[in-house]
Amino acid sequence: MAREIKKTNPNLIALIKNLRKQSYDEEVAIWKEVAIKLEKSCRSQAEVSLGHINKNTADGETIVVPGKVLSDGNLDHKVTVAALGFTKNAEAKLAKAGCEAISIAKLAEDNPKGSNVKIML
């Protein structure tokens, strides 16, 4: 029996279902893990600052944040960040640093195997 999703946002529900299906179809665990993190309550979802991303990534890496990216700190190298949401200031800082800010669904579509993707909490 499938796990019951207790979310009310239809877009988030569809994203979780698609990530679980893709995890099963491609036989990779990363998308299932992201779906599990997204199923948590909003209070438990990740909030990651740009400073934390800068400190824990290298140039050219791809990360996924199952939550929101906050604008605290700066980036001094280019990374690709996929997240459920971005603050406006975080998007501006990412663009200024030459980084790419995309949705989790777009990343899952572009990289179905999830190769070279880190989950950041």
Side-chain angles (χ1 to χ4, degrees):
M1 187 166 130
R3 243 170 121 178
E4 182 183 349
I5 300 173
K6 297 180 181 179
K7 297 286 184 180
T8 57
N9 182 342
N11 296 328
L12 184 56
I13 292 169
L15 175 62
I16 291 168
K17 286 182 180 179
N18 289 339
L19 288 174
R20 284 188 175 279
K21 183 179 183 314
Q22 188 164 1
S23 175
Y24 179 76
D25 291 345
E26 300 292 335
E27 298 178 357
V28 292
I30 188 167
W31 301 126
K32 183 177 179 183
E33 188 64 31
V34 172
I36 289 170
K37 301 291 184 197
L38 289 173
E39 284 179 341
K40 291 185 176 185
S41 68
C42 291
R43 291 181 183 180
S44 299
Q45 285 181 353
E47 291 182 343
V48 178
S49 68
L50 292 177
H52 183 71
I53 292 171
N54 189 49
K55 187 169 78 172
N56 295 300
T57 59
D59 193 33
E61 285 189 333
T62 302
I63 63 161
V64 61
V65 177
K68 191 170 232 180
V69 176
L70 306 176
S71 65
D72 297 339
N74 290 312
L75 284 171
D76 57 10
H77 55 273
K78 294 183 181 183
V79 293
T80 301
V81 182
L84 188 61
F86 297 90
T87 62
K88 289 183 182 186
N89 289 338
E91 282 183 335
K93 285 184 177 183
L94 285 168
K96 183 179 177 185
C99 299
E100 190 176 1
I102 60 175
S103 68
I104 296 172
K106 173 103 170 85
L107 178 64
E109 180 184 313
D110 293 347
N111 189 354
K113 291 285 187 188
S115 56
N116 298 323
V117 176
K118 286 182 174 180
I119 299 175
M120 188 160 291
L121 301 172

